[in-house]
Amino acid sequence: MDTILKTHNLTKAFNGVEVISNVNMTIRKGEIYGFLGPNGAGKTTLMKLILNLIKPTSGQIELFDEALTYSSYEFLNRIGSIIETAVFYDRLTGYENLELHCEYMGYHEDQAIEKALQMVDLAHIGKKKVKEYSLGMKQRLALARAIITKPELLILDEPINGLDPVGIKDMRNLLKKLNKEYGVTILISSHIISEIEQIADKIGIIKNGHLIQEIKLEDTRMEMKTCFEIVVNDSKKAALILLNTLNLENFKVIDDTTIRLYDFKHPQTEIMNALIQNGIQIDAFLKKKDSLEDYFLKNVIGGETSA
Amino acid sequence: MHKLMKLESKKYNFKRYIFKAISITLILITFLLLIFFADQEISGKTFMDIHQIYMLSKTLVNISFLILASVMLGRIVIGEYDKQTISILFSYPISRKKLILSKLLLICSFIFIAIICATTLLTSTLYVVSHIYYDTPFDITPQGYWSLLVNLLINSLAYTCLSTTSLYFGLKKKSSTRTIIAGVIIALFLGSNIGDFSLANIILVPIVFAVVGIFFTSMVIKNLEQTDI
């Protein structure tokens, strides 16, 4: 089984309005797949469709090499998930919630709960009832619940929601570890591009219910260009100088004070000299690589600032 | 199924419901005793024989516990929808039908036993009191005893089934308030089954009630797999 998930023209409409349209996505085994998209794009809806919580209007989902039907449910014990804000049985403690979870999943392993709590740094929650937990603690408990049965596929909807920077780093490391050491396939959604960038192998970009692009991160890295980023006091004047004095065209004016140069024919010093001699004040001159955020904004949101 | 019911009982504090059931029973006993002692003349006419007091107890118990059942349904079934824990529950590798059915069976078993105990308690209390205070106390023949028992069992079963009807109405709007209101309406209209100990009363009416209850429950269960969460 090479592909864990495949969707064919998956469509979902609520009251006649299509919220997911003809989505064809593929997730291979062992991959970390990042869902990227603005609020309301349909990321959570797609995840619910995969979990069979929502039924498709048309199209098909193939999970673990089997097509999903209205009444499918056995596949669910191979999946761990966090959908929307994590909910628990508030009257019970975190430990009891996990106990219930294991019972329902049919998972019986000694010390599994202790291990899972340790992995998410909640080892000493003791007898505290979940209604007394902070948001960060609930998120951690949700992650513990998702991973405790050692699932083959993890579906995580904005899992870093509510976590502090340390928590975010811990979760990132934990997910990477689960992926590398246990071969867990992970589907993770976020609007925080920098987080996805650090962890995903493949990215699916969703906008208005359409899967606009599916790209491997290594491919984007080739497209994300290196450039010289020059911070000056007057970028328009500097642009003219680059054009007229150095015959450089391959650059972009980002704003009043920033230019990005994609041409490396001329050495740094030559460019700097040309600018200084013409009265331009240089505040910074860096070699920079496009981040995924720039790539995303450029190619997806479709805004390009031009010279 | 048994295991599922056990898991359900862990999620909710059943002691609370036992406490409520006992309180209801005590209130009803007090109510009946008040009538009994208030006015010997009136009570003399109301409590003519064992059948009458049984009918009266039965009616009061049916109405009260039907409402209690809809309260429990509201909290145990609809409550999961309210709190969104239903999305966790339905992401388990167990059929949705079984999950909801286990909740229903748990509540129904509880209500069934409660109705039997409460009706027995009420009737027995009045029976004992009649022996102490009446010149002509209620009497019961062995055959009469059995016919009452059979009637009790059929009645409890029928009303237990009927009590699940309120779930259908509450689930439509995913509201526990609606469930309780539906329960109250059903209880007030159908709870009073006062009349003669006629054949129709013993057999036909309870069967109709049970069928109605089962019908509405099956409607609920049938739609589960198509519903979006």
Side-chain angles (χ1 to χ4, degrees), chain A residues 12 14 48 52-55 70-71 73 76-77 87-89 91-92 100-101 103-105 145, chain B residues 3 7-8 11-13 80 83-85 87-88 91-96 225-229:
Chain A
K12 177 66 189 174
F14 285 114
K48 283 187 174 180
N52 225 9
L53 286 173
I54 293 183
K55 315 293 168 172
Y70 269 10
S71 48
Y73 57 80
L76 287 166
N77 70 353
V87 272
F88 299 94
Y89 294 103
R91 276 187 48 249
L92 307 174
L100 267 178
H101 178 83
E103 289 278 359
Y104 275 114
M105 280 291 200
R145 182 172 61 190
Chain B
K3 201 175 142 203
L7 288 175
E8 286 295 330
K11 292 187 214 170
Y12 305 98
N13 188 5
E80 293 244 32
K83 295 213 181 103
Q84 291 301 313
T85 50
S87 59
I88 307 288
S91 67
Y92 288 137
I94 304 171
S95 107
R96 290 187 187 185
E225 272 156 14
Q226 273 101 305
T227 349
D228 289 337
I229 300 297

Side-chain angles (χ1 to χ4, degrees), chain A residues 152-172:
Chain A
E152 288 170 53
L153 172 63
L154 265 180
I155 299 182
L156 305 172
D157 188 12
E158 319 241 2
I160 62 176
N161 194 14
L163 292 178
D164 59 25
V166 174
I168 295 177
K169 181 155 167 271
D170 288 341
M171 182 176 288
R172 194 190 322 139

